[in-house]
Amino acid sequence: MTAYTATVTVRLKHGVLDPEAETTKRALERLGFELDALRSADRFDIDLDAPSARDAEDRADEMAERLLANPTIHDYDVEVTERE
Amino acid sequence: MTAYTATVTVRLKHGVLDPEAETTKRALERLGFELDALRSADRFDIDLDAPSARDAEDRADEMAERLLANPTIHDYDVEVTERE
């Protein structure tokens, strides 16, 4: 078994309203910052042991499907790196 | 001016309790997943125009300092990529 960290990033699908991001963008503009757009996402770093990177990725993928993301409104991606 | 996307990742500092991550970890374990640890972070993707990548990074850094992160409890990092 090897120690991996799987990073799952969960974003709202294109077209789903994100009032929190909109509020953050306006707050930055009120502070004098110029920006074209702001998107927010949730990131989960998951430490797990697995026989291969592929296996770690499959398990993180299943975690996203079953709990971390809501497939109706979210897209997600998974990246796996080996842990020291 | 060039179009950039600055990605600001805001994490809790080491040692700051994260009850939401702890709850998510337990929920995954109840679903039968084995994992050693789970850390959550907020990620902001900010589209902005700047004369250089360095300048875009400096501005995103200032946004993090002034609004996106709370220096008492958060660490953050900034990554800048050129936008098509």
Side-chain angles (χ1 to χ4, degrees), chain B residues 23-81:
Chain B
T23 304
T24 306
K25 178 173 184 278
R26 289 214 202 111
L28 286 167
E29 286 167 342
R30 269 198 300 276
L31 288 171
F33 291 107
E34 279 175 35
L35 58 161
D36 297 331
L38 182 147
R39 296 172 297 283
S40 64
D42 289 323
R43 178 182 158 140
F44 301 93
D45 292 312
I46 301 163
D47 295 341
L48 71 178
D49 296 322
S52 72
R54 178 60 189 271
D55 188 84
E57 188 176 334
D58 287 349
R59 271 168 57 200
D61 207 79
E62 209 189 326
M63 292 181 201
E65 292 278 350
R66 293 195 57 193
L67 187 84
L68 304 175
N70 173 346
T72 309
I73 57 168
H74 291 137
D75 283 327
Y76 67 88
D77 59 60
V78 177
E79 266 176 68
V80 171
T81 53

Side-chain angles (χ1 to χ4, degrees), chain A residues 26-43:
Chain A
R26 288 213 204 112
L28 286 168
E29 286 166 344
R30 268 198 302 276
L31 288 172
F33 292 107
E34 280 175 35
L35 58 161
D36 297 333
L38 182 147
R39 296 172 297 284
S40 65
D42 287 323
R43 177 180 158 143

